[in-house]
Amino acid sequence: MSSTRGSTAPSNHLLITDKDFIVQRPVYVHGIGAISPLGLNWPTTRDALHQGQHAIRWVKHFDVTDFPSKVAAFIRDFDARGEDRRLALAKRAAAEAWSASEAQHNQRLGVFIGAESGRATFETIMALARAGGLGERLDHSLFGQNAMEMAHYFDASVVSPATVASTLARQYNATGPVQTISLACASSNAAIVEAARAIDAGECDVALCGGVGADVDPLMMAGFGLLGALSASGLSCPFDTHRDGFVVGEGAAMLVLSSSPNGARAQVLGTGRSLDAYHLTKPHPDGQGAVQAMRAALEEANLKHVDYIQAHGTSTPLNDAAEAQAIATIFQSRTPEILVSSVKGALGHWIAGAGALGALCAIDAIDTQVASPTASLTQPDPACALRHITGRALGATIHTALANAFAFGGANSTLIFGRP
Amino acid sequence: MYIQLPQPVAITHTYAISPFGQGSDALCLGLAGEMNTMTPNALDAIDLPRAIRRHQKRMSPAATLACLALTGLLEQYSEPDTMTLGYFLGVGASGGDLGQLHEMLRASQNDDQFDEQTFGTEGLRACNPLFAFQLMNNFTLCHGAILNHIGGPNAAIFSRGQGTVLAMMEAAWSIIEQTAHASLCGGADCAIHQVTQAELKREGITHPTAQGVGLLRLGHTTTPEAWITGFTLYPNQQRHKTDHHTVTDDVHHDIQMPYTLAAHPALLTIWGAHLTKIHPRVDVVTCGADGKTSVVHLSQEPAI
């Protein structure tokens, strides 16, 4: 049985009364920030999302003529100025979230970021291949001899997943835990879970958390394309009958969490995580792992249902059907009452950053009482029978919102937010 | 920052694959100086079970190690419910198999130069369709979880040392907060790749390196191997020296084992748990490749 996070009174101290009873601290959302293909900050992005816009475009910065998928959602008006793109995007979103936060910045800060490895340039990768002789097979012996001379090619700040969290920790003088969660598409949702838990447990008082994805590059588009995971038709239309795969997107989304309720936008009511333990790429057809994660989050939040779900909704045939099935399994007869949308229709799939973007949409729905639509969803699949928001944003009474993130490999992570 | 757990958490079982061989006993014998040989490429010395061999093409060496250790650990006892078993693992970065990258890039050349259009046609044709699996770090955790039906709360935490301690801390909290009836935790890494070694050397770390994985099961028992009472984390420290040592009450043990990156803190915690049979309190101090120092506080008795 999980403990109840949402029911405790605000407290500035972690109180531990005895070994069997822990009084947990409530966790609140303060600042939020994002940079996306629809805007260089969260308000611009949000307004575009509300209007039903999308940012899926033909990739032009490298040759995709023969790639399995030729479109992506990428940021056109952003120059990383030679910095690792993940880092540049994350810093921008973090600065917005931090400046918008009324949390006490002098408190003990933890940093929790969902990120995958960065990508070396093709120049570096080619140099590697040449070091191996570029013969029929990689010459490991020759490569070993040359590798030391090539060490300068491997800039840890470019390829390490931890670069983003470490850099932000230095920038904001974090003295609490600094974590990098690498759970593929569930990374940043899980990073927010970790951040909430750390505040809960008194390991830090304020947490900068979220995630970043910058995978609109030839290697990832080739890798995912060859798996058959990307949309050949070039459409990101979650839950639609025409969906045929996801579209890669890029961006960063960040949150500042704190144990202080003052000036909060929302409260973290519940979290849940699970593993499908089923297949490397396919979700369990009944959505068992997703059910387990959502159920754990609902139990922690002490809720039976929610008003709005920001779905993982990738636009792949299997994910969307399994997620819809999981939602129906959990909420039963109340399923038709719950508003559902997926931001991936508009902004594509940010992989490690996707969960944080979904969390921002859920928080914003509570904050503004407006839920964004699923862009490009015009013909809902009967196998995904949910109360979809289509076309434009919908004003509604939203007390509680759930955000899902599911990953290749089977990791599932769910967050539930409520009014502060 | 010292984090005292509100209640001590029991280490119920452990499993290691280290330069000293398979199993925690081999690790402890080796660290006690009772073994003369070490095999840095631990995987080379292991005859993989058929169930793992079938999937090996999709697995990185670290994922294979984690999978082997997971299977070895679960064979030690009867797990009541793997679907609510937590799993928190410190993992290294995945960069793709160089042999496969090599084939792809070789096919992508035009006039001895990399050519984007040729990459889009010939390069993609030469690419293993499963290549993307190797680029994501979480697969070190997921392969084993799928093969062993582990479905509880989980996280793959990127680690050059301290991430593995954070993974153990998350696992401890999952027991305290009762989000899992038991949790597996530790780290797996393959530090023998030439690129890794070159990178470490550039950063001034000249220790020999090795493959390794250390897994601990945290849960409830009256007869644990040891109790975890807390953790101390020092974030963003400058690297003073890359030493890895175990400190007991009054005894300082220098560790003579090649460096296993993300696996190292877990392997040394297993050794530390073993040492609680002799010393009432054991602090396992590790300094990661990134200079972050961590301490796992262990005790023989549950009292803090």
Side-chain angles (χ1 to χ4, degrees), chain A residues 37 90 96 152 162 194 236 282 320 333 352 359 364 370 402:
Chain A
E96 184 189 353
H152 67 277
E194 296 285 346
S236 180
K282 296 177 192 166
D320 295 1
S333 62
D364 200 77
V370 178
L402 181 152

PDB file of all heavy atoms in Angstrom, chain A residues 37 90 96 152 162 194 236 282 320 333 352 359 364 370 402:
ATOM      1  N   PRO A  37       9.167  23.634 -30.704  1.00  0.00           N
ATOM      2  CA  PRO A  37       9.040  24.066 -32.099  1.00  0.00           C
ATOM      3  C   PRO A  37       7.876  25.032 -32.325  1.00  0.00           C
ATOM      4  O   PRO A  37       7.768  25.633 -33.389  1.00  0.00           O
ATOM      5  CB  PRO A  37       8.809  22.747 -32.852  1.00  0.00           C
ATOM      6  CG  PRO A  37       9.425  21.705 -31.981  1.00  0.00           C
ATOM      7  CD  PRO A  37       9.154  22.163 -30.582  1.00  0.00           C
ATOM      8  N   ALA A  90      17.901  22.906 -22.689  1.00  0.00           N
ATOM      9  CA  ALA A  90      17.558  22.714 -21.274  1.00  0.00           C
ATOM     10  C   ALA A  90      17.822  23.990 -20.467  1.00  0.00           C
ATOM     11  O   ALA A  90      17.024  24.363 -19.594  1.00  0.00           O
ATOM     12  CB  ALA A  90      18.352  21.549 -20.699  1.00  0.00           C
ATOM     13  N   GLU A  96      13.625  29.943 -17.703  1.00  0.00           N
ATOM     14  CA  GLU A  96      12.235  30.417 -17.662  1.00  0.00           C
ATOM     15  C   GLU A  96      11.510  29.875 -16.424  1.00  0.00           C
ATOM     16  O   GLU A  96      10.827  30.625 -15.725  1.00  0.00           O
ATOM     17  CB  GLU A  96      11.503  29.975 -18.939  1.00  0.00           C
ATOM     18  CG  GLU A  96      10.074  30.508 -19.010  1.00  0.00           C
ATOM     19  CD  GLU A  96       9.270  29.888 -20.155  1.00  0.00           C
ATOM     20  OE1 GLU A  96       9.849  29.150 -20.977  1.00  0.00           O
ATOM     21  OE2 GLU A  96       8.047  30.148 -20.194  1.00  0.00           O
ATOM     22  N   HIS A 152      40.612  13.287 -27.706  1.00  0.00           N
ATOM     23  CA  HIS A 152      40.137  14.676 -27.751  1.00  0.00           C
ATOM     24  C   HIS A 152      38.816  14.810 -28.500  1.00  0.00           C
ATOM     25  O   HIS A 152      38.101  15.784 -28.361  1.00  0.00           O
ATOM     26  CB  HIS A 152      41.203  15.582 -28.378  1.00  0.00           C
ATOM     27  CG  HIS A 152      41.446  15.301 -29.816  1.00  0.00           C
ATOM     28  ND1 HIS A 152      42.291  14.284 -30.223  1.00  0.00           N
ATOM     29  CD2 HIS A 152      40.965  15.872 -30.945  1.00  0.00           C
ATOM     30  CE1 HIS A 152      42.328  14.264 -31.552  1.00  0.00           C
ATOM     31  NE2 HIS A 152      41.529  15.218 -32.005  1.00  0.00           N
ATOM     32  N   ALA A 162      24.626  12.904 -18.338  1.00  0.00           N
ATOM     33  CA  ALA A 162      24.633  13.671 -17.086  1.00  0.00           C
ATOM     34  C   ALA A 162      24.985  15.139 -17.271  1.00  0.00           C
ATOM     35  O   ALA A 162      24.844  15.933 -16.346  1.00  0.00           O
ATOM     36  CB  ALA A 162      25.620  13.043 -16.106  1.00  0.00           C
ATOM     37  N   GLU A 194      11.037  11.438  -9.266  1.00  0.00           N
ATOM     38  CA  GLU A 194      12.195  11.400  -8.356  1.00  0.00           C
ATOM     39  C   GLU A 194      12.298  12.714  -7.576  1.00  0.00           C
ATOM     40  O   GLU A 194      12.618  12.716  -6.392  1.00  0.00           O
ATOM     41  CB  GLU A 194      13.495  11.186  -9.132  1.00  0.00           C
ATOM     42  CG  GLU A 194      13.597   9.868  -9.863  1.00  0.00           C
ATOM     43  CD  GLU A 194      13.863   8.692  -8.949  1.00  0.00           C
ATOM     44  OE1 GLU A 194      14.233   8.915  -7.798  1.00  0.00           O
ATOM     45  OE2 GLU A 194      13.667   7.554  -9.406  1.00  0.00           O
ATOM     46  N   SER A 236       1.608  13.010 -37.358  1.00  0.00           N
ATOM     47  CA  SER A 236       1.544  12.667 -35.945  1.00  0.00           C
ATOM     48  C   SER A 236       0.108  12.899 -35.514  1.00  0.00           C
ATOM     49  O   SER A 236      -0.317  14.042 -35.309  1.00  0.00           O
ATOM     50  CB  SER A 236       2.498  13.549 -35.127  1.00  0.00           C
ATOM     51  OG  SER A 236       2.412  13.186 -33.765  1.00  0.00           O
ATOM     52  N   LYS A 282       7.138  -3.345 -27.908  1.00  0.00           N
ATOM     53  CA  LYS A 282       5.669  -3.359 -27.875  1.00  0.00           C
ATOM     54  C   LYS A 282       5.156  -3.206 -26.447  1.00  0.00           C
ATOM     55  O   LYS A 282       5.668  -3.868 -25.540  1.00  0.00           O
ATOM     56  CB  LYS A 282       5.138  -4.689 -28.422  1.00  0.00           C
ATOM     57  CG  LYS A 282       5.440  -4.940 -29.867  1.00  0.00           C
ATOM     58  CD  LYS A 282       4.928  -6.329 -30.244  1.00  0.00           C
ATOM     59  CE  LYS A 282       5.457  -6.741 -31.601  1.00  0.00           C
ATOM     60  NZ  LYS A 282       5.279  -8.173 -31.857  1.00  0.00           N
ATOM     61  N   ASP A 320      -1.121   3.594 -28.696  1.00  0.00           N
ATOM     62  CA  ASP A 320      -2.358   4.336 -28.443  1.00  0.00           C
ATOM     63  C   ASP A 320      -3.504   3.396 -28.072  1.00  0.00           C
ATOM     64  O   ASP A 320      -4.312   3.698 -27.180  1.00  0.00           O
ATOM     65  CB  ASP A 320      -2.726   5.174 -29.668  1.00  0.00           C
ATOM     66  CG  ASP A 320      -1.693   6.270 -29.939  1.00  0.00           C
ATOM     67  OD1 ASP A 320      -0.702   6.350 -29.184  1.00  0.00           O
ATOM     68  OD2 ASP A 320      -1.868   7.035 -30.904  1.00  0.00           O
ATOM     69  N   SER A 333     -16.612   2.904 -16.020  1.00  0.00           N
ATOM     70  CA  SER A 333     -17.766   3.654 -16.544  1.00  0.00           C
ATOM     71  C   SER A 333     -17.531   5.164 -16.553  1.00  0.00           C
ATOM     72  O   SER A 333     -18.271   5.906 -17.197  1.00  0.00           O
ATOM     73  CB  SER A 333     -19.009   3.326 -15.709  1.00  0.00           C
ATOM     74  OG  SER A 333     -18.787   3.732 -14.374  1.00  0.00           O
ATOM     75  N   ALA A 352      13.353  11.620 -24.427  1.00  0.00           N
ATOM     76  CA  ALA A 352      13.649  11.834 -23.005  1.00  0.00           C
ATOM     77  C   ALA A 352      12.948  13.075 -22.451  1.00  0.00           C
ATOM     78  O   ALA A 352      12.734  13.182 -21.242  1.00  0.00           O
ATOM     79  CB  ALA A 352      15.150  11.944 -22.781  1.00  0.00           C
ATOM     80  N   ALA A 359       3.754  16.734 -18.686  1.00  0.00           N
ATOM     81  CA  ALA A 359       3.466  17.228 -17.332  1.00  0.00           C
ATOM     82  C   ALA A 359       3.095  18.708 -17.368  1.00  0.00           C
ATOM     83  O   ALA A 359       2.167  19.149 -16.687  1.00  0.00           O
ATOM     84  CB  ALA A 359       4.675  16.996 -16.430  1.00  0.00           C
ATOM     85  N   ASP A 364      -0.730  23.014 -16.761  1.00  0.00           N
ATOM     86  CA  ASP A 364      -1.340  24.199 -17.358  1.00  0.00           C
ATOM     87  C   ASP A 364      -2.863  24.062 -17.445  1.00  0.00           C
ATOM     88  O   ASP A 364      -3.594  25.039 -17.293  1.00  0.00           O
ATOM     89  CB  ASP A 364      -0.750  24.440 -18.748  1.00  0.00           C
ATOM     90  CG  ASP A 364      -0.966  25.861 -19.193  1.00  0.00           C
ATOM     91  OD1 ASP A 364      -0.239  26.751 -18.709  1.00  0.00           O
ATOM     92  OD2 ASP A 364      -1.896  26.096 -19.983  1.00  0.00           O
ATOM     93  N   VAL A 370      -8.080  25.189 -19.021  1.00  0.00           N
ATOM     94  CA  VAL A 370      -8.218  24.984 -20.472  1.00  0.00           C
ATOM     95  C   VAL A 370      -7.300  23.821 -20.852  1.00  0.00           C
ATOM     96  O   VAL A 370      -6.119  23.817 -20.496  1.00  0.00           O
ATOM     97  CB  VAL A 370      -7.795  26.239 -21.276  1.00  0.00           C
ATOM     98  CG1 VAL A 370      -7.895  25.970 -22.779  1.00  0.00           C
ATOM     99  CG2 VAL A 370      -8.649  27.440 -20.892  1.00  0.00           C
ATOM    100  N   LEU A 402      -3.833  13.981 -15.017  1.00  0.00           N
ATOM    101  CA  LEU A 402      -2.871  12.867 -14.994  1.00  0.00           C
ATOM    102  C   LEU A 402      -2.004  12.947 -16.255  1.00  0.00           C
ATOM    103  O   LEU A 402      -2.516  13.234 -17.342  1.00  0.00           O
ATOM    104  CB  LEU A 402      -3.659  11.555 -14.939  1.00  0.00           C
ATOM    105  CG  LEU A 402      -2.937  10.217 -14.893  1.00  0.00           C
ATOM    106  CD1 LEU A 402      -3.820   9.176 -14.174  1.00  0.00           C
ATOM    107  CD2 LEU A 402      -2.609   9.696 -16.290  1.00  0.00           C
TER     108      LEU A 402
END
